[in-house]
């Protein structure tokens, strides 16, 4: 599976936007970019995914670089409930997820 | 609640004992996955089922581990002769169907935390 690189941790103030970066320079043409997050003491939770075009849903936006070698998860207004570990994952089809260490997001009130 | 259910939530056992965990997937989800997560790490894939067939097993799944999914519904993960290194969170996930798009989303349970003393 192709690898992704994320910062270990990031910090944000409450109600401000957060941009979580992910590098995936070895992405293949069939890889989708998935984001999951894991709140404390819970299992991972799907956030968003995309292939080439930017995507929006009620939780977040996903901005994908034109060459697809990087992407950014955007939380438009961080809340305390968004404090979690965010995982960027490349995936083809319905294969098992390959998690890295993710980015631990802290939100400051 | 129609999410993925795991039981028990916590298990404490002595080294050498056998333990069994249960996962009830979301109804009609035909894929079921098991992952293991140790402190500070992301989840690691162990095995997955499509209906009752076990399609893939990770090299992490030693001979002491066995998983079943009779009748393609709930699944069990058994660890025999537990070791302290087996202490971890065991996560189960299910997804609705093979194919693209939203059908690829995995829905996770809250996990079973195993402590081997």
């Amino acid at each position: 599976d192709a690898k992704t690189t994320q910062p270990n941790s990031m910090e944000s103030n409450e109600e401000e936007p957060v941009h979580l970066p992910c590098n995936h320079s070895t992405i293949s043409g069939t890889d989708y970019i998935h984001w999951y997050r894991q709140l404390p003491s819970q299992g991972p939770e799907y956030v968003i995914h995309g292939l080439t075009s930017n995507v929006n849903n009620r939780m977040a936006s996903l901005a994908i670089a034109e060459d697809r070698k990087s992407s950014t998860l955007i939380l438009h207004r961080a809340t305390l409930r968004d404090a979690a570990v965010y995982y960027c994952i490349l995936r083809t089809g319905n294969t098992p997820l390959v998690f890295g260490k993710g980015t631990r997001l802290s939100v400051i009130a | 609640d129609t999410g993925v259910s795991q039981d028990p939530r916590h298990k404490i056992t002595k080294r050498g004992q056998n333990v069994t965990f249960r996962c009830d997937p979301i109804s009609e989800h035909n894929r079921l996955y098991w992952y293991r997560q140790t402190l500070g790490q992301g989840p690691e894939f162990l095995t997955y089922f499509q209906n009752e067939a076990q399609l893939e097993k990770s090299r992490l799944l030693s001979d002491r581990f066995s998983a079943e999914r009779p009748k393609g519904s709930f699944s069990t993960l058994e660890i025999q002769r537990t070791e302290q290194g087996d202490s971890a969170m065991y996560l189960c996930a299910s997804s609705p169907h093979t194919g693209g798009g939203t059908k690829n989303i995995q829905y996770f349970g809250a996990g079973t935390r195993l402590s081997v003393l």
Side-chain angles (χ1 to χ4, degrees):
Chain A
D1 291 301
K3 286 193 169 183
T4 62
T5 304
Q6 300 178 252
N8 290 333
S9 62
M10 291 185 65
E11 202 171 80
S12 172
N13 293 318
E14 197 176 12
E15 299 193 4
E16 289 189 358
V18 182
H19 291 231
L20 297 164
C22 181
N23 289 320
H24 30 78
S25 58
T26 58
I27 190 171
S28 74
T30 56
D31 283 331
Y32 281 77
I33 302 160
H34 287 248
W35 285 81
Y36 281 73
R37 72 179 185 180
Q38 188 170 21
L39 280 65
S41 302
Q42 295 188 26
E45 170 189 37
Y46 168 80
V47 178
I48 200 167
H49 77 286
L51 183 62
T52 56
S53 303
N54 294 344
V55 184
N56 300 295
N57 66 20
R58 63 176 180 80
M59 289 182 72
S61 296
L62 177 59
I64 301 172
E66 196 170 334
D67 63 4
R68 302 214 318 133
K69 293 185 176 182
S70 65
S71 60
T72 303
L73 179 71
I74 302 165
L75 306 179
H76 295 286
R77 288 183 64 211
T79 70
L80 296 177
R81 289 173 293 181
D82 292 320
V85 179
Y86 287 78
Y87 298 99
C88 170
I89 299 167
L90 301 184
R91 187 172 183 225
T92 297
N94 211 354
T95 55
L97 297 168
V98 178
F99 292 84
K101 289 190 175 183
T103 297
R104 181 172 298 278
L105 175 66
S106 302
V107 180
I108 302 168
Chain B
D1 184 12
T2 57
V4 176
S5 177
Q6 293 190 245
D7 182 69
R9 290 294 309 277
H10 299 92
K11 178 71 177 178
I12 300 173
T13 191
K14 292 183 179 179
R15 189 175 52 188
Q17 298 295 304
N18 300 342
V19 294
T20 300
F21 311 139
R22 176 179 172 126
C23 172
D24 286 274
I26 294 172
S27 179
E28 298 183 0
H29 279 195
N30 66 355
R31 283 218 172 184
L32 186 149
Y33 304 80
W34 284 99
Y35 294 83
R36 181 177 72 182
Q37 185 173 26
T38 53
L39 203 60
Q41 305 295 317
E44 297 172 292
F45 167 70
L46 292 178
T47 187
Y48 84 89
F49 294 82
Q50 181 163 313
N51 299 314
E52 64 275 8
Q54 189 172 14
L55 294 188
E56 187 176 342
K57 291 194 285 188
S58 161
R59 59 180 173 77
L60 292 176
L61 212 67
S62 75
D63 292 344
R64 296 184 297 104
F65 288 68
S66 63
E68 294 182 343
R69 193 184 181 195
K71 303 179 183 178
S73 55
F74 71 92
S75 175
T76 58
L77 178 68
E78 181 184 14
I79 308 174
Q80 295 182 328
R81 305 181 303 282
T82 53
E83 302 173 355
Q84 288 185 326
D86 297 330
S87 295
M89 175 75 82
Y90 290 84
L91 292 160
C92 175
S94 68
S95 67
H97 199 272
T98 56
T102 56
K103 294 176 180 177
N104 282 342
I105 295 172
Q106 290 189 15
Y107 298 84
F108 284 80
T112 294
R113 181 168 296 284
L114 173 66
S115 298
V116 181
L117 304 179

